[in-house]
Amino acid sequence: VNDRDQSDELDGFRRLERTHRRIEEKLDALVAACAELADPERRYASIERILETVSFFARAAVRHHDDEEETLFPRLATIPKLAAIVSVLHAEHHAHDQAFEPIRRIVERWDETGPSAKEEQELPGLAAKLNAIYRRHIAHEERDLFPAARTALPASAAEEMGREMRARRGK
Ligand SMILES: [Fe+2]
Ligand SMILES: [Fe+2]
């Protein structure tokens, strides 16, 4: 590991961005799997894929919100020009939870027969909605918040944030 990789690893903003890329991959997987449910040949694989992505969102996406809400946003509380955007982004986290909830509830009910015909019809729309709001939010954060926050905070902040995020995962 060279010096650059090491500082990259500890940089809190980069860590948030890396998680965004994983969230986008999982969103793509979820959308694709929901669309393939209706295909009898792909149904079983789709169900597995949906279960896997739903468990990702239940774990990793929750921790990502914690990283932002407990590690990044509080550091920005004293920067007046960022207050408005932080409060919008914070509210959007609740919208993500609300959009994810019906998907989680459906998946939780499944037994070995998988989704009902009605659920099969509902899932693509629910996944598309989650995908759309998440991507808009991520773009907003990376375009309008992270660069401004990095500039406004002291130079040591990015690494301090990275250490907090690591500690949150018990590493
Ligand atoms: Fe966020
Ligand atoms: Fe984020």
Side-chain angles (χ1 to χ4, degrees), residues 12-27:
F13 291 105
R14 298 242 165 78
R15 177 164 206 147
L16 293 173
E17 286 167 359
R18 282 198 299 273
T19 304
H20 285 169
R21 302 291 83 76
R22 284 181 60 220
I23 289 172
E24 287 165 347
E25 277 170 30
K26 299 291 180 182
L27 287 166

Side-chain angles (χ1 to χ4, degrees), residues 16 20 64-65 68-69 73 89-90 92-93 96 134 137-138 141 145-146:
L16 293 173
H20 285 169
H64 177 72
H65 284 176
E68 292 177 344
E69 292 175 15
F73 295 171
L89 291 167
H90 201 151
E92 285 176 1
H93 288 177
H96 297 165
Y134 240 120
H137 177 88
I138 284 172
E141 285 182 335
L145 185 67
F146 294 177

